[in-house]
Amino acid sequence: MKNLTTDMTTGNTVKHIILFALPALIGNVFQQLYNLADSIIVGRFVGSDALAAVGATGSITFLFFALCNGIGSGGGVIASQYYGAHDDENVKKTIVNTGIIMLIVPAIFGTIGFISAPSILELLGTPEAILPSSAAYIRFMSIGLVFVSLYNYITSMLRALGDSKSPLYFLILSAIINVALDIILVYFFGMGINGAAIATVISQFIAAFACIVYAYRINPYFRLEKKDIIFVPNLAYKIVRLGVPMSLQFALIAISAMVVQRIVNSYGTVVVAAFTATSRIEQLIHQPYITLSTSIATFSGQNYGAAKYDRVNDGYKKGLGIMVAFTVIMVAVMQLFGGAITSLFVSDAEVIELGSNGLKITSIFYIALGLIYVVRGVLNGIGDAFFALFNGIVEVIGRLTIPILITSYMGMGAPGIWLATGIVWVLSGVTAWIRLFTHFSLKHFNIHLPGLFKNTQAVSKL
């Protein structure tokens, strides 16, 4: 049963992390093409108001995606630990029970999102000129929520077993289809952002369906027998117990992002368009960090399940090194080419200048962003459910207070929005590192310097 899986409990740490992360990175970049294609095509072919309408929905759709996908991530962590312990029976049961939960949760939140879209947008102070278009976009995304959730569930399971390549192929295909449909529906048929939303939903359906069929036919862990297809209350509780804090972490971040969006909205459509463009760009910047975090989580989960704590520690340190190297490159790119990159989304000179300055500000803080993801990968891999929720609360507090303090009380205005984002990353990164230091390293390693673990035999298992 190992032909399409990777056992990370032996072998070179850096090689495992990089080889696992690269296909996932390519896949995540292609997944971001969904949003990028919508934004670029809508911004270029329809206008900056339409781009603002798409951007005004970002924090809301992220909220519903986060509430669903955290459950899948929790199931993935448990599956990786069972896989590391060579418990094939419970790997299959985890796949089944996570799948049951992932059918129910998106149906609930998709319905809520569809019904409440206009009310939420009004609560956020969305400019009236773009409110109807934004509401329609959210409703289409709510319909597609089940497809996004199913795709992310399957990929979480495959990655937990060390297979980051298989989901990539179908994601590339669906991304190409998404871009093609965007051009057809938005440009040739003149359907505006509704066309972009429809294209995204269709593409998400293709990715989900293809990945499910492939996993069933190719990966032996998905060839379930009748005895495997059973609801196990204790296992479902473990999945929910780990997944809900992850969901809440991202949900709290999404809610706080909605508060930031309200502040952005108060400055008018030019700032909304600039913030939308920079947010889309930084979604791409997040992808290498996200895939590195996922790779470290899988590596940590398997080795934690095998009680090889020294390898968990090694993965953390090597992950930090990889993150720093990438960060140096990205800071240089944003400082030198931020304006040119922003101009891909919109031709308005005022929007481009504001977006370029915003990228120069936030890029200074990328090292803190990278730290968040590296530490999160380790803690998620070892099943630290408390951290996910705690870190989300910290980030919410920062997002609720710092933007208001900087933009209003310190008088920085719109540019303060981007500065506040960077400061929140610092706050979240520091608290994440403190959690890793106190929760994991003190129990499993002799500490000589903060964050520098000495590889010794683990004294106990959490």
Side-chain angles (χ1 to χ4, degrees), residues 93-108:
K93 289 181 179 178
T94 300
I95 291 173
V96 170
N97 282 263
T98 306
I100 293 171
I101 298 170
M102 289 298 291
L103 286 173
I104 297 171
V105 173
I108 295 173

mmCIF file with all atom_site columns, all heavy atoms in Angstrom, residues 93-108:
data_model
loop_
_atom_site.group_PDB
_atom_site.id
_atom_site.type_symbol
_atom_site.label_atom_id
_atom_site.label_alt_id
_atom_site.label_comp_id
_atom_site.label_asym_id
_atom_site.label_entity_id
_atom_site.label_seq_id
_atom_site.pdbx_PDB_ins_code
_atom_site.Cartn_x
_atom_site.Cartn_y
_atom_site.Cartn_z
_atom_site.occupancy
_atom_site.B_iso_or_equiv
_atom_site.pdbx_formal_charge
_atom_site.auth_seq_id
_atom_site.auth_comp_id
_atom_site.auth_asym_id
_atom_site.auth_atom_id
_atom_site.pdbx_PDB_model_num
ATOM 1   N N   . LYS A 1 93  ? -10.507 4.372  8.124  1.00 0.00 ? 93  LYS A N   1
ATOM 2   C CA  . LYS A 1 93  ? -11.653 4.862  8.897  1.00 0.00 ? 93  LYS A CA  1
ATOM 3   C C   . LYS A 1 93  ? -11.620 6.376  9.034  1.00 0.00 ? 93  LYS A C   1
ATOM 4   O O   . LYS A 1 93  ? -12.670 7.028  9.064  1.00 0.00 ? 93  LYS A O   1
ATOM 5   C CB  . LYS A 1 93  ? -11.668 4.193  10.267 1.00 0.00 ? 93  LYS A CB  1
ATOM 6   C CG  . LYS A 1 93  ? -12.055 2.721  10.214 1.00 0.00 ? 93  LYS A CG  1
ATOM 7   C CD  . LYS A 1 93  ? -12.075 2.085  11.599 1.00 0.00 ? 93  LYS A CD  1
ATOM 8   C CE  . LYS A 1 93  ? -12.500 0.624  11.513 1.00 0.00 ? 93  LYS A CE  1
ATOM 9   N NZ  . LYS A 1 93  ? -12.483 -0.055 12.836 1.00 0.00 ? 93  LYS A NZ  1
ATOM 10  N N   . THR A 1 94  ? -10.433 6.940  9.107  1.00 0.00 ? 94  THR A N   1
ATOM 11  C CA  . THR A 1 94  ? -10.316 8.394  9.175  1.00 0.00 ? 94  THR A CA  1
ATOM 12  C C   . THR A 1 94  ? -10.776 9.025  7.867  1.00 0.00 ? 94  THR A C   1
ATOM 13  O O   . THR A 1 94  ? -11.473 10.054 7.872  1.00 0.00 ? 94  THR A O   1
ATOM 14  C CB  . THR A 1 94  ? -8.859  8.803  9.465  1.00 0.00 ? 94  THR A CB  1
ATOM 15  O OG1 . THR A 1 94  ? -8.450  8.234  10.707 1.00 0.00 ? 94  THR A OG1 1
ATOM 16  C CG2 . THR A 1 94  ? -8.729  10.317 9.545  1.00 0.00 ? 94  THR A CG2 1
ATOM 17  N N   . ILE A 1 95  ? -10.407 8.414  6.744  1.00 0.00 ? 95  ILE A N   1
ATOM 18  C CA  . ILE A 1 95  ? -10.854 8.914  5.441  1.00 0.00 ? 95  ILE A CA  1
ATOM 19  C C   . ILE A 1 95  ? -12.373 8.905  5.360  1.00 0.00 ? 95  ILE A C   1
ATOM 20  O O   . ILE A 1 95  ? -13.003 9.878  4.930  1.00 0.00 ? 95  ILE A O   1
ATOM 21  C CB  . ILE A 1 95  ? -10.243 8.062  4.308  1.00 0.00 ? 95  ILE A CB  1
ATOM 22  C CG1 . ILE A 1 95  ? -8.738  8.303  4.221  1.00 0.00 ? 95  ILE A CG1 1
ATOM 23  C CG2 . ILE A 1 95  ? -10.918 8.365  2.978  1.00 0.00 ? 95  ILE A CG2 1
ATOM 24  C CD1 . ILE A 1 95  ? -8.010  7.390  3.257  1.00 0.00 ? 95  ILE A CD1 1
ATOM 25  N N   . VAL A 1 96  ? -12.988 7.815  5.798  1.00 0.00 ? 96  VAL A N   1
ATOM 26  C CA  . VAL A 1 96  ? -14.446 7.683  5.735  1.00 0.00 ? 96  VAL A CA  1
ATOM 27  C C   . VAL A 1 96  ? -15.137 8.689  6.639  1.00 0.00 ? 96  VAL A C   1
ATOM 28  O O   . VAL A 1 96  ? -16.050 9.415  6.214  1.00 0.00 ? 96  VAL A O   1
ATOM 29  C CB  . VAL A 1 96  ? -14.874 6.249  6.104  1.00 0.00 ? 96  VAL A CB  1
ATOM 30  C CG1 . VAL A 1 96  ? -16.390 6.169  6.269  1.00 0.00 ? 96  VAL A CG1 1
ATOM 31  C CG2 . VAL A 1 96  ? -14.406 5.267  5.042  1.00 0.00 ? 96  VAL A CG2 1
ATOM 32  N N   . ASN A 1 97  ? -14.725 8.774  7.875  1.00 0.00 ? 97  ASN A N   1
ATOM 33  C CA  . ASN A 1 97  ? -15.418 9.631  8.835  1.00 0.00 ? 97  ASN A CA  1
ATOM 34  C C   . ASN A 1 97  ? -15.206 11.110 8.540  1.00 0.00 ? 97  ASN A C   1
ATOM 35  O O   . ASN A 1 97  ? -16.115 11.920 8.723  1.00 0.00 ? 97  ASN A O   1
ATOM 36  C CB  . ASN A 1 97  ? -14.970 9.282  10.255 1.00 0.00 ? 97  ASN A CB  1
ATOM 37  C CG  . ASN A 1 97  ? -15.630 8.037  10.789 1.00 0.00 ? 97  ASN A CG  1
ATOM 38  O OD1 . ASN A 1 97  ? -16.614 8.086  11.507 1.00 0.00 ? 97  ASN A OD1 1
ATOM 39  N ND2 . ASN A 1 97  ? -15.096 6.877  10.421 1.00 0.00 ? 97  ASN A ND2 1
ATOM 40  N N   . THR A 1 98  ? -14.026 11.468 8.045  1.00 0.00 ? 98  THR A N   1
ATOM 41  C CA  . THR A 1 98  ? -13.817 12.853 7.629  1.00 0.00 ? 98  THR A CA  1
ATOM 42  C C   . THR A 1 98  ? -14.705 13.186 6.447  1.00 0.00 ? 98  THR A C   1
ATOM 43  O O   . THR A 1 98  ? -15.285 14.280 6.362  1.00 0.00 ? 98  THR A O   1
ATOM 44  C CB  . THR A 1 98  ? -12.343 13.100 7.261  1.00 0.00 ? 98  THR A CB  1
ATOM 45  O OG1 . THR A 1 98  ? -11.502 12.711 8.348  1.00 0.00 ? 98  THR A OG1 1
ATOM 46  C CG2 . THR A 1 98  ? -12.100 14.572 6.952  1.00 0.00 ? 98  THR A CG2 1
ATOM 47  N N   . GLY A 1 99  ? -14.844 12.247 5.512  1.00 0.00 ? 99  GLY A N   1
ATOM 48  C CA  . GLY A 1 99  ? -15.699 12.463 4.349  1.00 0.00 ? 99  GLY A CA  1
ATOM 49  C C   . GLY A 1 99  ? -17.152 12.692 4.720  1.00 0.00 ? 99  GLY A C   1
ATOM 50  O O   . GLY A 1 99  ? -17.835 13.551 4.140  1.00 0.00 ? 99  GLY A O   1
ATOM 51  N N   . ILE A 1 100 ? -17.662 11.919 5.673  1.00 0.00 ? 100 ILE A N   1
ATOM 52  C CA  . ILE A 1 100 ? -19.049 12.102 6.126  1.00 0.00 ? 100 ILE A CA  1
ATOM 53  C C   . ILE A 1 100 ? -19.256 13.515 6.667  1.00 0.00 ? 100 ILE A C   1
ATOM 54  O O   . ILE A 1 100 ? -20.221 14.201 6.327  1.00 0.00 ? 100 ILE A O   1
ATOM 55  C CB  . ILE A 1 100 ? -19.394 11.063 7.202  1.00 0.00 ? 100 ILE A CB  1
ATOM 56  C CG1 . ILE A 1 100 ? -19.407 9.651  6.597  1.00 0.00 ? 100 ILE A CG1 1
ATOM 57  C CG2 . ILE A 1 100 ? -20.743 11.383 7.846  1.00 0.00 ? 100 ILE A CG2 1
ATOM 58  C CD1 . ILE A 1 100 ? -19.538 8.542  7.625  1.00 0.00 ? 100 ILE A CD1 1
ATOM 59  N N   . ILE A 1 101 ? -18.329 13.939 7.496  1.00 0.00 ? 101 ILE A N   1
ATOM 60  C CA  . ILE A 1 101 ? -18.436 15.274 8.083  1.00 0.00 ? 101 ILE A CA  1
ATOM 61  C C   . ILE A 1 101 ? -18.329 16.356 7.002  1.00 0.00 ? 101 ILE A C   1
ATOM 62  O O   . ILE A 1 101 ? -19.046 17.355 7.038  1.00 0.00 ? 101 ILE A O   1
ATOM 63  C CB  . ILE A 1 101 ? -17.332 15.482 9.147  1.00 0.00 ? 101 ILE A CB  1
ATOM 64  C CG1 . ILE A 1 101 ? -17.510 14.478 10.281 1.00 0.00 ? 101 ILE A CG1 1
ATOM 65  C CG2 . ILE A 1 101 ? -17.359 16.905 9.696  1.00 0.00 ? 101 ILE A CG2 1
ATOM 66  C CD1 . ILE A 1 101 ? -16.348 14.429 11.257 1.00 0.00 ? 101 ILE A CD1 1
ATOM 67  N N   . MET A 1 102 ? -17.463 16.122 6.007  1.00 0.00 ? 102 MET A N   1
ATOM 68  C CA  . MET A 1 102 ? -17.236 17.123 4.971  1.00 0.00 ? 102 MET A CA  1
ATOM 69  C C   . MET A 1 102 ? -18.362 17.222 3.959  1.00 0.00 ? 102 MET A C   1
ATOM 70  O O   . MET A 1 102 ? -18.380 18.127 3.122  1.00 0.00 ? 102 MET A O   1
ATOM 71  C CB  . MET A 1 102 ? -15.916 16.824 4.258  1.00 0.00 ? 102 MET A CB  1
ATOM 72  C CG  . MET A 1 102 ? -14.692 17.089 5.117  1.00 0.00 ? 102 MET A CG  1
ATOM 73  S SD  . MET A 1 102 ? -14.537 18.820 5.621  1.00 0.00 ? 102 MET A SD  1
ATOM 74  C CE  . MET A 1 102 ? -14.148 19.571 4.044  1.00 0.00 ? 102 MET A CE  1
ATOM 75  N N   . LEU A 1 103 ? -19.293 16.311 3.989  1.00 0.00 ? 103 LEU A N   1
ATOM 76  C CA  . LEU A 1 103 ? -20.501 16.453 3.172  1.00 0.00 ? 103 LEU A CA  1
ATOM 77  C C   . LEU A 1 103 ? -21.555 17.298 3.885  1.00 0.00 ? 103 LEU A C   1
ATOM 78  O O   . LEU A 1 103 ? -22.319 18.036 3.248  1.00 0.00 ? 103 LEU A O   1
ATOM 79  C CB  . LEU A 1 103 ? -21.081 15.076 2.840  1.00 0.00 ? 103 LEU A CB  1
ATOM 80  C CG  . LEU A 1 103 ? -20.327 14.257 1.792  1.00 0.00 ? 103 LEU A CG  1
ATOM 81  C CD1 . LEU A 1 103 ? -20.929 12.858 1.695  1.00 0.00 ? 103 LEU A CD1 1
ATOM 82  C CD2 . LEU A 1 103 ? -20.374 14.953 0.432  1.00 0.00 ? 103 LEU A CD2 1
ATOM 83  N N   . ILE A 1 104 ? -21.582 17.193 5.183  1.00 0.00 ? 104 ILE A N   1
ATOM 84  C CA  . ILE A 1 104 ? -22.610 17.884 5.967  1.00 0.00 ? 104 ILE A CA  1
ATOM 85  C C   . ILE A 1 104 ? -22.271 19.358 6.180  1.00 0.00 ? 104 ILE A C   1
ATOM 86  O O   . ILE A 1 104 ? -23.110 20.247 5.960  1.00 0.00 ? 104 ILE A O   1
ATOM 87  C CB  . ILE A 1 104 ? -22.794 17.187 7.330  1.00 0.00 ? 104 ILE A CB  1
ATOM 88  C CG1 . ILE A 1 104 ? -23.285 15.749 7.140  1.00 0.00 ? 104 ILE A CG1 1
ATOM 89  C CG2 . ILE A 1 104 ? -23.760 17.974 8.213  1.00 0.00 ? 104 ILE A CG2 1
ATOM 90  C CD1 . ILE A 1 104 ? -23.290 14.922 8.415  1.00 0.00 ? 104 ILE A CD1 1
ATOM 91  N N   . VAL A 1 105 ? -21.038 19.627 6.566  1.00 0.00 ? 105 VAL A N   1
ATOM 92  C CA  . VAL A 1 105 ? -20.648 20.990 6.958  1.00 0.00 ? 105 VAL A CA  1
ATOM 93  C C   . VAL A 1 105 ? -20.804 21.998 5.823  1.00 0.00 ? 105 VAL A C   1
ATOM 94  O O   . VAL A 1 105 ? -21.408 23.061 6.023  1.00 0.00 ? 105 VAL A O   1
ATOM 95  C CB  . VAL A 1 105 ? -19.211 20.994 7.515  1.00 0.00 ? 105 VAL A CB  1
ATOM 96  C CG1 . VAL A 1 105 ? -18.737 22.417 7.768  1.00 0.00 ? 105 VAL A CG1 1
ATOM 97  C CG2 . VAL A 1 105 ? -19.146 20.184 8.804  1.00 0.00 ? 105 VAL A CG2 1
ATOM 98  N N   . PRO A 1 106 ? -20.280 21.751 4.601  1.00 0.00 ? 106 PRO A N   1
ATOM 99  C CA  . PRO A 1 106 ? -20.435 22.763 3.545  1.00 0.00 ? 106 PRO A CA  1
ATOM 100 C C   . PRO A 1 106 ? -21.877 22.988 3.118  1.00 0.00 ? 106 PRO A C   1
ATOM 101 O O   . PRO A 1 106 ? -22.223 24.090 2.682  1.00 0.00 ? 106 PRO A O   1
ATOM 102 C CB  . PRO A 1 106 ? -19.591 22.208 2.391  1.00 0.00 ? 106 PRO A CB  1
ATOM 103 C CG  . PRO A 1 106 ? -19.443 20.760 2.667  1.00 0.00 ? 106 PRO A CG  1
ATOM 104 C CD  . PRO A 1 106 ? -19.452 20.617 4.151  1.00 0.00 ? 106 PRO A CD  1
ATOM 105 N N   . ALA A 1 107 ? -22.709 21.946 3.235  1.00 0.00 ? 107 ALA A N   1
ATOM 106 C CA  . ALA A 1 107 ? -24.118 22.129 2.903  1.00 0.00 ? 107 ALA A CA  1
ATOM 107 C C   . ALA A 1 107 ? -24.771 23.147 3.844  1.00 0.00 ? 107 ALA A C   1
ATOM 108 O O   . ALA A 1 107 ? -25.561 24.005 3.422  1.00 0.00 ? 107 ALA A O   1
ATOM 109 C CB  . ALA A 1 107 ? -24.852 20.792 2.973  1.00 0.00 ? 107 ALA A CB  1
ATOM 110 N N   . ILE A 1 108 ? -24.409 23.069 5.120  1.00 0.00 ? 108 ILE A N   1
ATOM 111 C CA  . ILE A 1 108 ? -24.969 23.996 6.111  1.00 0.00 ? 108 ILE A CA  1
ATOM 112 C C   . ILE A 1 108 ? -24.484 25.419 5.853  1.00 0.00 ? 108 ILE A C   1
ATOM 113 O O   . ILE A 1 108 ? -25.279 26.366 5.735  1.00 0.00 ? 108 ILE A O   1
ATOM 114 C CB  . ILE A 1 108 ? -24.592 23.548 7.533  1.00 0.00 ? 108 ILE A CB  1
ATOM 115 C CG1 . ILE A 1 108 ? -25.250 22.201 7.854  1.00 0.00 ? 108 ILE A CG1 1
ATOM 116 C CG2 . ILE A 1 108 ? -24.994 24.613 8.556  1.00 0.00 ? 108 ILE A CG2 1
ATOM 117 C CD1 . ILE A 1 108 ? -24.796 21.596 9.170  1.00 0.00 ? 108 ILE A CD1 1
#
